[in-house]
Structure formats: structure tokens, C-alpha cells
Amino acid sequence: MKKFIFVFSGPSGAGKTTLIKHVLKTFNGDVDISVSCTTRAARIGETDAVDYHFITKNKFEKFIGDGQFLEYTDCYGNQYGTLKSTVLDLLTHNKACILDVDYRGAKAVLHGDLSDADGSFKIQKIGILVLPPSIEALKQRLLNRRSETKESLNKRISESFNGESIAKYDHVIINDDISRSKKEVQNIVKLYLK
Ligand code: 5GP
């Protein structure tokens, strides 16, 4: 039996979150998202255990030491990590799993090894890269979001495209029209979940 992990990556502001939400809604019941751990503070409107597991740096270090992460990374000065147990739990319950990760996380997952404990199913990982039509468009989207300080905006822009090409992506979506991109991502997921 084959199970799927959809690894979404791309610069923040490219529209990745909107497309992931669209997939979750369209394939409700068949697909779910792995909630990551992070050491960053919750933003207004974010809920613990829904948007992220907001944990302390000490707890994050303990999870690293205990080998609990499938992958983890330092991004914009905070730590983010995907718990192996969360991913395997979703797959075991017959859900395809979505990961929303930065390019380093994508590389680690797409190139790395992940198997279930007793080898009862095969895992196929599908890399989906979401890109904005231009850097200028990305800047404007981040400004419109109003959640960034000048410093964090510059950091996000300068780290935006670093190494994106390194990971082995199966699909690239250039998000210049959100309706078209939604259809595109829906068709991609459908290819696998037939
Ligand atoms: P934000 O702080 O805007 O929620 O996320 C910042 C970046 O961290 C985004 O590019 C997001 O995809 C990435 N990210 C979120 N969770 C994880 C994770 O578990 N692992 C990795 N490698 N990146 C993550």
C-alpha cells in the first residue's frame, strides 16, 4: 500500500498557505497537515496545536536530542521542526500528509528516508514548489500582510530564494493568479489520490 506526503515549499508570501488551505478543504478527510513545532511566538489569531505547537527552545532541543524530528531547521532566527510521530500518525490513519516547510526542510524530507515502523506501507514524497511571479510581487504581498517589521521583511526577502533549486521538486507552481493556481494544485494532488 502506498501513502503520500506532499511537501510544500516556497518563499513566504508566495501563496503557499492559501494553496495548502485549498487542498485541505477540497480533499477534506483524505488529506491533513502535519502541525509543526516552532520556537517563534504565536502571531495574533494563531492557535497552539492548530497553527503550530509553540514550544520553548529547551523543549525543542530535547526533541532534537531524542531524535523526534523528521527534519528541523533554523528559519528567520526561529526554529521549526516536523515531528516523525505526527507524520506517521496521519499516514497510519490513511490520510495523505501535507508538510509546509522551508527549502531546507523540503530538501531533507525529499532526499531523506522515512519508513513506517513495521514496513506495512510504502511512502511516496511529492515536492511542490510555490513561487511568486517576481521578487517585487513577493515584497508587495509581505507588505500588505502587515505582520512584518522592516527587519523581518528584509530577512524574509533576502532568504527567499536561497537554495530553492537544490531540493528535488516534482511540481512548480508560479502563483500569478490565485484561482488558476488553486486549480493547478488541485489537479496535482488528484493525480496521486485517484
Ligand atoms: P512562518 O513563521 O511564516 O509561519 O513560517 C516561516 C517558514 O517556516 C515558512 O517558510 C514555513 O514553510 C517554514 N516552516 C514551518 N514549519 C516548518 C517545519 O516544520 N520545518 C521547516 N523546515 N520549515 C517550516
Side-chain angles (χ1 to χ4, degrees):
M1 189 174 194
K2 211 189 241 180
K3 312 235 175 176
F4 299 97
I5 300 179
F6 295 98
V7 184
F8 280 79
S9 193
S12 75
K16 189 175 48 167
T17 310
T18 308
L19 295 182
I20 289 175
K21 281 186 180 153
H22 178 70
V23 171
L24 289 170
K25 198 171 145 203
T26 309
F27 299 93
N28 183 22
D30 294 327
V31 178
D32 212 343
I33 190 163
S34 159
V35 178
S36 296
C37 296
T38 184
T39 60
R40 86 150 161 74
R43 296 188 188 120
I44 292 167
E46 286 184 327
T47 310
D48 186 39
V50 174
D51 297 287
Y52 282 104
H53 299 290
F54 295 100
I55 63 176
T56 60
K57 286 191 173 159
N58 278 348
K59 195 163 178 187
F60 202 98
E61 291 302 324
K62 179 158 188 343
F63 283 173
I64 295 175
D66 293 345
Q68 298 212 40
F69 286 123
L70 172 61
E71 63 74 36
Y72 61 91
T73 192
D74 215 84
C75 195
Y76 315 125
N78 295 303
Q79 286 168 295
Y80 297 82
T82 306
L83 288 170
K84 284 180 196 162
S85 57
T86 306
V87 173
L88 289 176
D89 196 48
L90 288 178
L91 297 178
T92 304
H93 287 89
N94 291 327
K95 301 214 188 229
C97 174
I98 287 185
L99 300 183
D100 173 349
V101 290
D102 77 323
Y103 65 91
R104 282 161 296 204
K107 190 182 170 202
V109 175
L110 293 170
H111 292 248
D113 251 353
L114 173 72
S115 50
D116 62 319
D118 62 5
S120 62
F121 55 80
K122 278 204 159 23
I123 298 172
Q124 183 174 351
K125 295 166 284 186
I126 301 121
I128 302 175
L129 178 62
V130 183
L131 292 176
S134 68
I135 300 235
E136 200 39 55
L138 182 73
K139 205 170 194 173
Q140 202 49 53
R141 284 179 199 177
L142 287 174
L143 280 172
N144 292 346
R145 209 193 256 184
R146 293 177 194 276
S147 63
E148 307 300 324
T149 61
K150 202 172 176 187
E151 197 193 12
S152 73
L153 176 80
N154 287 333
K155 214 170 186 176
R156 278 178 187 250
I157 293 285
S158 67
E159 289 184 14
S160 274
F161 294 100
N162 272 353
E164 285 289 357
S165 59
I166 297 167
K168 176 182 130 314
Y169 294 98
D170 301 277
H171 305 274
V172 179
I173 298 174
I174 310 284
N175 182 22
D176 50 1
D177 177 308
I178 193 64
S179 306
R180 197 187 48 75
S181 300
K182 281 181 179 175
K183 277 189 202 132
E184 200 172 331
V185 76
Q186 195 170 325
N187 287 335
I188 291 170
V189 173
K190 221 195 272 174
L191 275 180
Y192 299 92
L193 304 188
K194 355 174 229 260

